[in-house]
Amino acid sequence: MMFALICIPTITEASIGSWCVANPKIPDQVVQAAAVWVCQQSGVDCGRIQRGQNCFLPNTIKDHASVVFNTYYQIYKHKGGSCDFKGAAEITDTDPSKQPYQNPVVFLSI
């Protein structure tokens, strides 16, 4: 008797998700102001981007803002929340954790 093993790749939800990241074309001060708004007004826990926490590195305004924007987006996208923040953010279908400059713990798609 002969058996054949056939591997069929599966697509997980995380590999086909969407993420909200800082818009690279927008000046840092605009992105930072939007991230501060999210932290102060939306109820998103921004403690993860503080020194010593798992999302502190890389320590740039846009990387920190991307963590904040994506956290907001993942929580609120099914409740009518958007990813724009007056142009400071944008949607990507490329998992940012797969980018060599990103912290892999940062981005999850829910």
Side-chain angles (χ1 to χ4, degrees):
M1 190 179 276
M2 184 183 267
F3 293 97
L5 179 60
I6 300 173
C7 294
I8 301 172
T10 59
I11 299 174
T12 64
E13 184 175 337
S15 66
I16 58 170
S18 61
W19 295 265
C20 182
V21 296
N23 186 336
K25 299 173 186 167
I26 301 299
D28 280 357
Q29 64 271 20
V30 174
V31 171
Q32 184 172 17
V36 167
W37 179 89
V38 172
C39 290
Q40 292 177 347
Q41 303 297 321
S42 72
V44 167
D45 176 14
C46 294
R48 299 181 319 141
I49 61 172
Q50 300 302 313
R51 184 176 302 280
Q53 299 302 309
N54 66 333
C55 296
F56 177 72
L57 295 176
N59 182 17
T60 72
I61 289 171
K62 286 196 169 93
D63 284 304
H64 287 183
S66 291
V67 172
V68 170
F69 295 157
N70 191 58
T71 302
Y72 175 92
Y73 180 67
Q74 297 305 326
I75 292 169
Y76 295 109
K77 69 181 177 183
H78 298 297
K79 301 173 186 175
S82 67
C83 171
D84 184 66
F85 307 103
K86 296 185 179 180
E90 62 185 10
I91 297 281
T92 182
D93 60 359
T94 303
D95 184 349
S97 69
K98 305 297 185 211
Q99 302 300 318
Y101 56 86
Q102 295 289 349
N103 182 343
V105 214
V106 170
F107 296 96
L108 300 174
S109 178
I110 299 172

